[in-house]
Amino acid sequence: GCYSSAREVIGETIHRLQRLPDGNIPLIHYYAVGASFASFLIGDFNEAVEYSEAAVRGGSDLGQPKLLTFAYTIPIMVALARGDKLDTVYEHVRERARNEWRSGFLGTMGVSRLFQLACAVVAGDDWTIAATDRDLAGTATSEYTREFYAREASDIAIRYTWNGSFEDARALVAVPAPTIAAHRSLVRLGASAMFAAAAGQRNEALATIARTEERVQTLTCFGSGHYLWRNLCRVYEALAMMLLGDETEAQRFLSLVAVYTGPLVGAIEVVARGLAERNIAKSRKGLQMIRRRGYLGYVR
C-alpha cells in the first residue's frame, strides 16, 4: 500500500540497471516485468502496460520465451479490468500460451489456460469453458489454479450466476486472496454482497456492504485502476440494494461513482442506473454497450 515508495523504488532501480554493462540487458527487461506488476497494484494501468510492452520488445529481441510469458500477464489483466475488446485480450492470451509452451517453464504451465478460462467466462462461451476445464485438469498445477481462482474470482464467479447458483458464486469470491491490490479486493466484497442478495441472504448482503464501506474509508485512490475497482464495487453494491428492494440506497451508491470507470464498468453502471430508475430502455442500452465489446458473460 506504500504507492509513492513503490514509484521511488522503480525509478531508482531502473536508474541503476541502466548503468550496468550491456551483458546485463536481460535483467533490465525482467525488471520491467516486475515494474509492470507494481504499477498494476499502484493502479496506474497505462504505466503497467508501458513496462509490459517494453518487456515484450526486449523478450522478442533476445528470443526469450520465458520472459515473454511473464511479460504478457499484466496486459491481459489490465485489458480484462478495463473492458478492452475481447479480440485484443484473446490475442494477448494466445501469445502468452505460445511462449509458455516454447519456454517449457513448468512453473507457469497451465496459467495461460486459466486466462483463457477467464476470457471464455466473460465472453459467455460455454463450449470453450467446458473444453478449457478439461485441459486444465491435465496442465495446471493445483498451486497455480488455487492462486489464479483466488485472484480472478470476481470474473470467474459469473459463470455460476447463469443457472442461478448465486451461493456458489459467493463462495468463490470469498476465497482468500492476500496478494491482490487492496482496491481490487473491494470488487470481491461488492460482488459477494450482490451474490448474497441474489441468493436471498439479506443479512449477509447487508453485513458485507457494511464491511465494504469500512474498507473504502481506509483507502486512498492513487491511479485510474484504483478508481475503476472502487467504482465497480459501488455498482455491485447498488445492484445488491436493488435486489434487496431498496432503490433509494441503490441510487446513493451510484451517485458515488466518479472519475474513471473504463468502458466495461461504465456500461454495467448504465444497466444499474436503468434498473434503479426503472428505466428499462437505459438498462437495455447498457447491455448493448457490454455486448458490443464481446463481454456476453456479463450480459447473461
Side-chain angles (χ1 to χ4, degrees), residues 146-195:
R146 284 194 303 271
E147 181 182 330
F148 186 90
Y149 266 67
R151 194 174 66 232
E152 308 299 327
S154 54
D155 281 333
I156 296 177
I158 296 169
R159 66 194 289 193
Y160 297 115
T161 70
W162 300 335
N163 64 1
S165 299
F166 301 113
E167 178 53 37
D168 289 337
R170 197 182 72 81
L172 184 56
V173 296
V175 175
T179 60
I180 69 172
H183 294 76
R184 201 176 180 202
S185 69
L186 292 175
V187 177
R188 299 162 65 87
L189 284 170
S192 180
M194 177 174 63
F195 297 145

Side-chain angles (χ1 to χ4, degrees), residues 22-23 45 54 98 116 136 142 149 156 173 185 188 190 197 211 290:
D22 289 345
F45 285 174
R98 186 171 70 88
Q116 183 181 48
L136 282 170
S142 57
Y149 266 67
I156 296 177
V173 296
S185 69
R188 299 162 65 87
R211 196 160 65 249
I290 299 170

